[in-house]
Amino acid sequence: MYSGADKLLHRIALGSPALLEATFDIERATHRKRIAAVPIRRPVFIAGLARAGTSILTRLLHRGGSFAAPSYRDLPFPLAPNSWARLGGKRHVEASERGHGDGLTHDLDSPEAIEEVFWRTREGSRYLRRDGLAPVAPQADTLAAFGDYVRLVLLCQGGTRYLSKNNNNILRLEGLAAGFPDALLVHPFRDPLQQALSLLSQHRRATMLAREDPFRRRFMAWLGHHEFGADHRPFLFDGAPGRDEDATRVDYWLKLWDSVHQALLSAPARVQERQLFLDYDALCASPRHYAPRLAVLVEAPIDAAALRLPDPRQAEADPALLARAAETHAALRACFRARFD
């Protein structure tokens, strides 16, 4: 997708937190009066562990509702969407299959997890660690600035609601619930072994692609994507796998799966009021039953025909880990049924 000149521009822009901060400050000041009049109404934050249908779900909502979401068109100056839209917004790139090799295509206007650049720029030194990503409450001024970022995206795209796909937001759910009291925090999940096997497969693939193209590894790090691959960093919740554990084994990803979902289930009351646990397996198995209910909860139409579930895989795993994850999965499904059945 990127030429040599594009890569250089991305390296200069995304590789410099100071430059990113400056572009945001200028954008914020330029449009201060206009964004002051932009309301933030019932934003949707899709956040969880990767490989649970987050991309498909984000696209379904984006197509059906009046949502505005960050996209690749915002790069390489994602914190100045309005200014960059005037300078480089006329670019056209043919849709192509994304690097995951899962059949999903994307183009410059596909909603994506670009938002994390904001958090990395403002608070990367607080949560981004060599051994993983730590849950850290955002500072008050950062939350206020993020509200302005959301308004800038809404202003740029003319949407009435903000849509976020950003798995790293599970690190800051309490801050988001406080900053956006009417937000919906959507946590898709899948069968633990199937999701763990998908994560393992993507980890191997992304690691291989990074060896073939060093720019890809840097690019993913600039965007704050550490879910898997050469620069993988686990979420550092209680029970997370340690640095000495083998990420090429499914047990590693099962342990990560359980620690993340245990943390989501034990969120503070303010967060629980905003959470929506979504059983992606059930949604795909019975779309006619669950898609209409989901549409009501998110206040946006859902095209159930676009849902799909990968074929199941088989693998040996630690029986104790499987048993623990099964208990967590049962708790997640109970939360799902309480809202959907």
Side-chain angles (χ1 to χ4, degrees):
M1 180 182 292
Y2 295 116
S3 66
D6 287 332
K7 290 180 179 180
L8 177 60
L9 183 58
H10 280 68
R11 184 177 295 111
I12 293 171
L14 293 174
S16 172
L19 180 56
L20 286 167
E21 184 79 37
T23 62
F24 177 66
D25 289 344
I26 294 171
E27 173 92 348
R28 197 180 183 190
T30 301
H31 300 284
R32 185 174 300 278
K33 290 184 178 180
R34 297 181 68 192
I35 63 174
V38 175
I40 302 176
R41 185 185 70 83
R42 196 139 165 83
V44 175
F45 295 91
I46 300 174
L49 195 60
R51 309 308 296 164
T54 53
S55 293
I56 291 177
L57 180 61
T58 302
R59 294 180 185 197
L60 291 181
L61 293 182
H62 194 251
R63 290 176 198 155
S66 300
F67 287 104
S71 71
Y72 283 111
R73 189 171 294 281
D74 299 331
L75 298 178
F77 299 105
L79 305 190
N82 294 274
S83 300
W84 181 238
R86 291 196 299 272
L87 294 173
K90 303 301 182 183
R91 297 168 297 158
H92 175 74
V93 175
E94 293 295 331
S96 60
E97 184 177 7
R98 63 180 189 165
H100 297 65
D102 54 8
L104 285 182
T105 61
H106 63 181
D107 58 25
L108 291 179
D109 295 309
S110 300
E112 247 318 322
I114 308 299
E115 166 200 293
E116 185 62 18
V117 176
F118 171 89
W119 296 104
R120 178 179 68 83
T121 301
R122 299 278 304 201
E123 300 212 343
S125 61
R126 301 183 67 231
Y127 73 89
L128 187 57
R129 303 178 184 175
R130 292 183 63 84
D131 60 337
L133 307 182
V136 176
Q139 296 177 329
D141 62 336
T142 298
L143 274 176
F146 182 64
D148 283 347
Y149 167 76
V150 169
R151 293 182 181 91
L152 287 167
V153 173
L154 291 169
L155 177 64
C156 180
Q157 299 185 19
T160 59
R161 298 176 67 192
Y162 181 72
L163 176 63
S164 163
K165 174 205 165 190
N166 185 1
N167 293 325
N168 288 358
N169 274 336
I170 64 176
L171 300 170
R172 54 186 77 100
L173 292 177
E174 194 166 5
L176 292 175
F180 305 91
D182 65 343
L184 188 62
L185 308 173
V186 183
H187 307 313
F189 65 91
R190 291 182 58 202
D191 171 86
L193 180 59
Q194 296 305 311
Q195 193 169 348
L197 286 170
S198 183
L199 284 162
L200 173 57
S201 175
Q202 287 301 319
H203 178 65
R204 290 170 172 165
R205 179 181 178 85
T207 301
M208 177 193 68
L209 291 173
R211 284 197 299 265
E212 296 174 355
D213 181 7
F215 174 79
R216 179 183 178 84
R217 174 176 181 170
R218 292 191 292 270
F219 181 72
M220 300 308 287
W222 291 332
L223 296 187
H225 293 326
H226 302 283
E227 291 96 333
F228 38 71
D231 197 17
H232 166 61
R233 306 186 197 193
F235 295 113
L236 298 177
F237 295 112
D238 289 344
R243 295 186 67 181
D244 58 340
E245 298 188 53
D246 188 357
T248 65
R249 296 176 57 85
V250 70
D251 289 350
Y252 175 98
W253 299 98
L254 264 176
K255 194 172 184 180
L256 180 64
W257 185 97
D258 191 65
S259 67
V260 165
H261 291 96
Q262 282 287 350
L264 292 176
L265 285 167
S266 59
R270 174 185 283 180
V271 175
Q272 291 183 21
E273 292 171 356
R274 314 307 325 155
Q275 286 178 307
L276 177 65
F277 289 97
L278 177 61
D279 187 339
Y280 187 71
D281 295 328
L283 178 64
C284 291
S286 304
R288 292 186 178 180
H289 178 70
Y290 289 117
R293 178 58 177 158
L294 177 61
V296 171
L297 291 170
V298 299
E299 300 178 20
I302 300 290
D303 180 10
L307 293 166
R308 63 180 185 177
L309 192 65
D311 293 330
R313 309 179 190 185
Q314 300 297 323
E316 295 293 328
D318 182 336
L321 277 176
L322 282 173
R324 191 168 72 204
E327 292 181 1
T328 304
H329 189 225
L332 291 167
R333 295 187 69 189
C335 292
F336 168 75
R337 290 193 296 270
R339 298 290 297 274
F340 282 82
D341 288 333

